[in-house]
Protein backbone atom coordinates (compact mmCIF):
# COMPACT_ATOMS: atom_id res chain seq x y z
CA UNK A 1 0.00 0.00 0.00
CA UNK A 2 1.49 3.33 -1.08
CA UNK A 3 0.94 6.85 0.22
CA UNK A 4 -1.77 7.55 -2.36
CA UNK A 5 -3.80 4.61 -1.02
CA UNK A 6 -3.46 5.91 2.52
CA UNK A 7 -4.59 9.40 1.55
CA UNK A 8 -7.63 8.00 -0.26
CA UNK A 9 -8.55 5.85 2.74
CA UNK A 10 -8.08 8.79 5.12
CA UNK A 11 -10.14 11.11 2.94
CA UNK A 12 -12.92 8.54 2.67
CA UNK A 13 -12.91 8.04 6.45
CA UNK A 14 -13.06 11.80 7.08
CA UNK A 15 -15.96 12.22 4.65
CA UNK A 16 -17.76 9.28 6.28
CA UNK A 17 -17.22 10.77 9.73
CA UNK A 18 -18.35 14.26 8.79
CA UNK A 19 -21.42 12.97 6.96
CA UNK A 20 -22.24 10.39 9.64
CA UNK A 21 -22.41 13.00 12.39
CA UNK A 22 -24.96 15.07 10.48
CA UNK A 23 -26.76 12.34 8.56
CA UNK A 24 -28.34 10.91 11.69
CA UNK A 25 -30.14 14.18 12.38
CA UNK A 26 -31.23 14.47 8.74
CA UNK A 27 -32.71 10.96 8.78
CA UNK A 28 -34.56 11.62 12.04
CA UNK A 29 -35.96 14.87 10.65
CA UNK A 30 -36.93 13.22 7.34
CA UNK A 31 -34.63 15.52 5.39
CA UNK A 32 -32.29 12.90 4.00
CA UNK A 33 -32.23 14.34 0.48
CA UNK A 34 -31.11 17.80 1.57
CA UNK A 35 -27.51 16.83 0.80
CA UNK A 36 -28.41 15.92 -2.77
CA UNK A 37 -30.28 19.20 -3.11
CA UNK A 38 -27.32 21.24 -1.89
CA UNK A 39 -24.79 19.38 -4.04
CA UNK A 40 -26.72 20.37 -7.18
CA UNK A 41 -28.14 23.76 -6.27
CA UNK A 42 -24.69 25.26 -5.52
CA UNK A 43 -23.81 25.29 -9.23
CA UNK A 44 -24.88 28.94 -9.78
CA UNK A 45 -22.78 29.99 -6.79
CA UNK A 46 -19.72 28.34 -8.34
CA UNK A 47 -20.30 30.05 -11.68
CA UNK A 48 -20.97 33.46 -10.12
CA UNK A 49 -17.82 33.14 -8.00
CA UNK A 50 -15.84 32.37 -11.17
CA UNK A 51 -17.33 35.34 -13.04
CA UNK A 52 -16.51 37.71 -10.16
CA UNK A 53 -13.03 36.41 -9.38
CA UNK A 54 -12.01 35.58 -12.94
CA UNK A 55 -10.26 32.39 -11.84
CA UNK A 56 -11.04 28.83 -10.88
CA UNK A 57 -9.47 29.22 -7.45
CA UNK A 58 -11.14 26.64 -5.22
CA UNK A 59 -11.46 28.98 -2.22
CA UNK A 60 -13.53 31.53 -4.15
CA UNK A 61 -15.69 28.84 -5.72
CA UNK A 62 -16.26 27.08 -2.41
CA UNK A 63 -17.27 30.37 -0.81
CA UNK A 64 -19.77 31.01 -3.59
CA UNK A 65 -21.05 27.45 -3.32
CA UNK A 66 -21.42 27.71 0.46
CA UNK A 67 -23.44 30.94 0.17
CA UNK A 68 -25.84 29.40 -2.35
CA UNK A 69 -26.03 26.28 -0.18
CA UNK A 70 -27.30 28.39 2.71
CA UNK A 71 -29.72 30.15 0.35
CA UNK A 72 -30.99 26.71 -0.68
CA UNK A 73 -31.65 25.77 2.93
CA UNK A 74 -33.41 29.08 3.57
CA UNK A 75 -35.68 28.72 0.53
CA UNK A 76 -36.58 25.13 1.39
CA UNK A 77 -37.52 26.16 4.93
CA UNK A 78 -39.45 29.18 3.64
CA UNK A 79 -41.54 27.04 1.29
CA UNK A 80 -42.18 24.48 4.03
CA UNK A 81 -43.44 27.20 6.35
CA UNK A 82 -45.68 28.37 3.50
CA UNK A 83 -47.42 25.00 3.42
CA UNK A 84 -45.43 23.15 0.74
CA UNK A 85 -44.50 19.57 1.63
CA UNK A 86 -40.88 18.87 2.56
CA UNK A 87 -40.01 16.68 -0.42
CA UNK A 88 -41.72 19.07 -2.83
CA UNK A 89 -39.83 22.04 -1.37
CA UNK A 90 -36.50 20.27 -1.78
CA UNK A 91 -37.32 19.20 -5.33
CA UNK A 92 -38.49 22.65 -6.45
CA UNK A 93 -35.53 24.55 -4.98
CA UNK A 94 -32.69 22.31 -6.12
CA UNK A 95 -34.01 21.78 -9.65
CA UNK A 96 -34.66 25.51 -10.11
CA UNK A 97 -31.23 26.57 -8.84
CA UNK A 98 -29.47 23.78 -10.73
CA UNK A 99 -31.21 24.90 -13.92
CA UNK A 100 -30.06 28.48 -13.32
CA UNK A 101 -26.52 27.17 -12.91
CA UNK A 102 -26.70 25.21 -16.16
CA UNK A 103 -27.88 28.36 -17.97
CA UNK A 104 -25.03 30.41 -16.50
CA UNK A 105 -22.50 27.77 -17.55
CA UNK A 106 -23.82 27.66 -21.11
CA UNK A 107 -24.08 31.46 -21.43
CA UNK A 108 -20.92 32.77 -19.80
CA UNK A 109 -18.39 29.94 -19.45
CA UNK A 110 -18.81 27.95 -22.65
CA UNK A 111 -15.15 28.55 -23.57
CA UNK A 112 -13.81 27.75 -20.11
CA UNK A 113 -13.20 24.35 -18.51
CA UNK A 114 -16.11 24.82 -16.15
CA UNK A 115 -18.49 22.08 -17.23
CA UNK A 116 -20.73 20.07 -14.96
CA UNK A 117 -18.19 17.29 -14.48
CA UNK A 118 -15.59 19.87 -13.45
CA UNK A 119 -17.67 21.55 -10.77
CA UNK A 120 -19.91 18.77 -9.49
CA UNK A 121 -18.22 15.42 -9.75
CA UNK A 122 -14.85 15.17 -8.07
CA UNK A 123 -12.83 11.97 -8.00
CA UNK A 124 -11.44 10.67 -4.73
CA UNK A 125 -8.67 8.82 -6.58
CA UNK A 126 -7.05 12.17 -7.39
CA UNK A 127 -7.03 13.71 -3.90
CA UNK A 128 -3.26 13.30 -3.55
CA UNK A 129 -2.62 15.44 -6.66
CA UNK A 130 -3.73 18.69 -4.98
CA UNK A 131 -1.62 19.11 -1.85
CA UNK A 132 -0.65 21.75 0.68
CA UNK A 133 2.77 21.72 2.34
CA UNK A 134 2.90 21.47 6.15
CA UNK A 135 5.94 20.59 8.30
CA UNK A 136 7.66 19.13 5.27
CA UNK A 137 4.68 16.97 4.33
CA UNK A 138 2.48 17.30 1.27
CA UNK A 139 -1.02 16.86 2.67
CA UNK A 140 -3.97 16.74 0.24
CA UNK A 141 -6.17 19.81 0.33
CA UNK A 142 -9.21 17.53 0.65
CA UNK A 143 -7.86 16.19 3.95
CA UNK A 144 -7.51 19.71 5.31
CA UNK A 145 -10.94 20.82 4.15
CA UNK A 146 -12.93 17.76 5.18
CA UNK A 147 -10.98 17.41 8.42
CA UNK A 148 -11.77 21.02 9.29
CA UNK A 149 -15.52 20.65 8.72
CA UNK A 150 -15.50 17.37 10.65
CA UNK A 151 -13.89 19.10 13.61
CA UNK A 152 -16.32 22.02 13.31
CA UNK A 153 -19.36 19.72 13.25
CA UNK A 154 -18.05 17.66 16.17
CA UNK A 155 -17.49 20.77 18.29
CA UNK A 156 -20.90 22.33 17.51
CA UNK A 157 -22.82 19.08 18.03
CA UNK A 158 -20.87 18.39 21.20
CA UNK A 159 -21.66 21.80 22.67
CA UNK A 160 -25.35 21.75 21.79
CA UNK A 161 -26.10 18.03 21.67
CA UNK A 162 -29.15 18.21 23.98
CA UNK A 163 -30.66 21.07 21.98
CA UNK A 164 -30.16 19.32 18.64
CA UNK A 165 -31.55 16.10 20.09
CA UNK A 166 -34.71 17.69 21.44
CA UNK A 167 -35.27 19.68 18.24
CA UNK A 168 -34.96 16.48 16.21
CA UNK A 169 -37.41 14.42 18.29
CA UNK A 170 -39.90 17.03 19.54
CA UNK A 171 -39.61 20.57 18.11
CA UNK A 172 -42.77 21.68 19.92
CA UNK A 173 -41.35 20.61 23.28
CA UNK A 174 -38.06 22.31 22.45
CA UNK A 175 -39.85 25.57 21.69
CA UNK A 176 -41.89 25.25 24.89
CA UNK A 177 -38.76 25.06 27.05
CA UNK A 178 -37.23 28.09 25.36
CA UNK A 179 -34.90 26.52 22.80
CA UNK A 180 -34.70 28.62 19.59
CA UNK A 181 -35.75 25.84 17.20
CA UNK A 182 -35.29 27.91 14.04
CA UNK A 183 -31.76 28.88 15.06
CA UNK A 184 -30.69 25.28 15.60
CA UNK A 185 -32.40 24.24 12.37
CA UNK A 186 -30.38 26.74 10.35
CA UNK A 187 -27.25 25.88 12.31
CA UNK A 188 -27.66 22.20 11.42
CA UNK A 189 -28.44 23.01 7.79
CA UNK A 190 -25.44 25.34 7.68
CA UNK A 191 -23.20 22.51 8.86
CA UNK A 192 -24.71 20.22 6.22
CA UNK A 193 -24.13 22.86 3.55
CA UNK A 194 -20.51 23.47 4.51
CA UNK A 195 -19.78 19.76 4.80
CA UNK A 196 -21.37 19.00 1.44
CA UNK A 197 -19.58 21.81 -0.35
CA UNK A 198 -16.21 21.05 1.25
CA UNK A 199 -16.46 17.38 0.33
CA UNK A 200 -18.00 17.07 -3.09
CA UNK A 201 -15.35 19.04 -5.01
CA UNK A 202 -12.72 16.49 -4.05
CA UNK A 203 -14.56 13.21 -3.62
CA UNK A 204 -17.67 13.67 -5.75
CA UNK A 205 -21.33 14.35 -5.11
CA UNK A 206 -22.28 10.67 -5.25
CA UNK A 207 -20.03 9.75 -2.32
CA UNK A 208 -21.10 12.74 -0.23
CA UNK A 209 -24.84 12.16 -0.72
CA UNK A 210 -24.43 8.43 -0.17
CA UNK A 211 -22.50 8.89 3.07
CA UNK A 212 -25.02 11.44 4.34
CA UNK A 213 -27.95 9.08 3.91
CA UNK A 214 -27.09 5.37 3.77
CA UNK A 215 -24.97 4.84 6.94
CA UNK A 216 -27.40 6.92 9.01
CA UNK A 217 -30.38 5.00 7.64
CA UNK A 218 -28.58 1.74 8.45
CA UNK A 219 -27.80 2.88 11.98
CA UNK A 220 -31.45 3.89 12.43
CA UNK A 221 -32.42 0.24 11.93
CA UNK A 222 -29.94 -0.99 14.52
CA UNK A 223 -30.64 1.19 17.56
CA UNK A 224 -33.18 3.54 19.10
CA UNK A 225 -30.66 5.69 20.98
CA UNK A 226 -29.41 8.80 19.17
CA UNK A 227 -25.89 8.70 20.58
CA UNK A 228 -25.44 5.08 19.55
CA UNK A 229 -27.02 5.83 16.19
CA UNK A 230 -24.47 8.57 15.47
CA UNK A 231 -21.63 6.23 16.50
CA UNK A 232 -22.94 3.42 14.31
CA UNK A 233 -23.42 5.82 11.41
CA UNK A 234 -19.81 6.97 11.55
CA UNK A 235 -18.45 3.43 11.95
CA UNK A 236 -20.59 2.07 9.10
CA UNK A 237 -19.48 4.93 6.87
CA UNK A 238 -15.79 4.40 7.66
CA UNK A 239 -16.09 0.64 7.15
CA UNK A 240 -17.93 1.17 3.84
CA UNK A 241 -15.26 3.53 2.55
CA UNK A 242 -12.41 1.17 3.49
CA UNK A 243 -14.04 -2.01 2.15
CA UNK A 244 -15.28 -0.20 -0.94
CA UNK A 245 -11.80 1.08 -1.74
CA UNK A 246 -10.22 -2.37 -1.64
CA UNK A 247 -13.03 -3.79 -3.77
CA UNK A 248 -12.59 -0.96 -6.29
CA UNK A 249 -8.84 -1.56 -6.36
CA UNK A 250 -9.33 -5.28 -6.99
CA UNK A 251 -11.99 -4.77 -9.67
CA UNK A 252 -10.49 -1.60 -11.21
CA UNK A 253 -13.87 0.09 -10.71
CA UNK A 254 -15.15 3.46 -9.48
CA UNK A 255 -13.95 4.05 -5.93
CA UNK A 256 -16.86 6.26 -4.88
CA UNK A 257 -19.31 3.88 -6.52
CA UNK A 258 -17.89 0.89 -4.66
CA UNK A 259 -17.90 2.73 -1.34
CA UNK A 260 -21.57 3.65 -1.64
CA UNK A 261 -22.42 0.17 -2.96
CA UNK A 262 -20.88 -1.41 0.15
CA UNK A 263 -22.86 1.02 2.31
CA UNK A 264 -25.99 -0.02 0.44
CA UNK A 265 -25.21 -3.70 0.99
CA UNK A 266 -24.80 -3.08 4.73
CA UNK A 267 -28.16 -1.30 4.73
CA UNK A 268 -29.81 -4.32 3.09
CA UNK A 269 -28.30 -6.61 5.73
CA UNK A 270 -29.61 -4.36 8.50
CA UNK A 271 -33.00 -4.17 6.81
CA UNK A 272 -33.21 -7.95 6.74
CA UNK A 273 -31.60 -8.90 10.06
CA UNK A 274 -32.00 -5.91 12.38
CA UNK A 275 -32.95 -7.10 15.90
CA UNK A 276 -35.90 -4.69 16.13
CA UNK A 277 -36.80 -3.70 12.56
CA UNK A 278 -35.47 -6.59 10.47
CA UNK A 279 -37.75 -8.29 7.97
CA UNK A 280 -36.50 -11.75 8.97
CA UNK A 281 -37.13 -11.04 12.66
CA UNK A 282 -40.69 -9.87 11.89
CA UNK A 283 -41.40 -12.98 9.82
CA UNK A 284 -40.15 -15.20 12.65
CA UNK A 285 -42.41 -13.37 15.10
CA UNK A 286 -45.40 -13.84 12.83
CA UNK A 287 -44.61 -17.53 12.43
CA UNK A 288 -44.31 -18.00 16.19
CA UNK A 289 -47.63 -16.20 16.71
CA UNK A 290 -49.38 -18.47 14.21
CA UNK A 291 -47.87 -21.57 15.85
CA UNK A 292 -48.99 -20.38 19.30
CA UNK A 293 -52.51 -19.78 18.05
Amino acid sequence: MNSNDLWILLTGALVAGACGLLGSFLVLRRMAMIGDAISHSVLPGIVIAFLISGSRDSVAMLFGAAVIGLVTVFLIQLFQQGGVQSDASIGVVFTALFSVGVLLVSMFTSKVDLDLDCVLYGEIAFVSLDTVGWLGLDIPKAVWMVGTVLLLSAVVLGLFYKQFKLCAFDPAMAAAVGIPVALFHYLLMGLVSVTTVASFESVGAILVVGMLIVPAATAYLLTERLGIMILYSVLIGVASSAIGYFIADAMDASIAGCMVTVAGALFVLAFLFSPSHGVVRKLLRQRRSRVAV
Side-chain angles (χ1 to χ4, degrees), residues 38-293:
I38 292 174
S39 68
H40 286 79
S41 63
V42 296
L43 179 58
I46 294 173
V47 179
I48 293 171
F50 168 77
L51 294 175
I52 294 176
S53 64
S55 69
R56 293 189 299 157
D57 179 69
S58 60
V59 176
M61 288 190 175
L62 286 176
F63 178 77
V67 170
I68 298 298
L70 292 175
V71 170
T72 300
V73 171
F74 174 77
L75 291 176
I76 291 173
Q77 181 68 12
L78 180 66
F79 291 155
Q80 289 178 358
Q81 292 176 347
V84 182
Q85 292 183 351
S86 176
D87 54 347
S89 300
I90 293 174
V92 168
V93 172
F94 101 76
T95 53
L97 289 177
F98 184 66
S99 299
V100 171
V102 172
L103 288 176
L104 291 176
V105 168
S106 62
M107 292 173 61
F108 300 108
T109 64
S110 58
K111 297 182 180 179
V112 182
D113 182 21
L114 197 67
D115 55 22
L116 301 185
D117 289 336
C118 171
V119 298
L120 280 180
Y121 305 109
E123 174 53 65
I124 193 172
F126 302 144
V127 293
S128 61
L129 299 181
D130 189 5
T131 61
V132 176
W134 184 71
L135 297 179
L137 298 175
D138 291 327
I139 300 177
K141 185 182 294 184
V143 171
W144 284 109
M145 295 176 61
V146 182
T148 300
V149 297
L150 171 59
L151 179 62
L152 175 64
S153 297
V155 170
V156 173
L157 292 177
L159 290 175
F160 303 106
Y161 176 76
K162 292 182 179 179
Q163 290 85 344
F164 280 115
K165 180 179 180 180
L166 190 55
C167 289
F169 284 103
D170 194 344
M173 178 65 181
V177 298
I179 297 176
V181 177
L183 173 63
F184 282 100
H185 170 77
Y186 284 115
L187 183 57
L188 176 64
M189 294 300 105
L191 291 175
V192 173
S193 177
V194 172
T195 299
T196 303
V197 170
S199 302
F200 77 75
E201 183 197 32
S202 300
V203 304
I206 295 175
L207 181 59
V208 177
V209 175
M211 288 300 175
L212 268 175
I213 301 171
V214 185
T218 306
Y220 179 81
L221 297 174
L222 299 177
T223 181
E224 296 180 354
R225 297 177 57 187
L226 178 58
I228 302 300
M229 179 180 173
I230 295 174
L231 177 61
Y232 282 176
S233 178
V234 172
L235 293 178
I236 291 169
V238 172
S240 299
S241 63
I243 297 171
Y245 174 70
F246 290 114
I247 292 176
D249 185 55
M251 299 176 58
D252 192 22
S254 167
I255 297 175
C258 286
M259 288 179 175
V260 179
T261 299
V262 171
L266 294 177
F267 172 81
V268 172
L269 290 176
F271 179 75
L272 292 174
F273 302 106
S274 168
S276 56
H277 300 283
V279 173
V280 174
R281 183 66 177 268
K282 291 180 180 178
L283 291 175
L284 290 176
R285 288 175 184 170
Q286 294 175 359
R287 183 178 179 181
R288 290 170 184 170
S289 298
R290 287 195 296 267
V291 171
V293 172

Side-chain angles (χ1 to χ4, degrees), residues 10-29:
L10 178 58
T11 303
L14 290 174
V15 171
C19 292
L21 286 176
L22 303 172
S24 299
F25 291 96
L26 295 180
V27 169
L28 289 174
R29 301 183 66 165

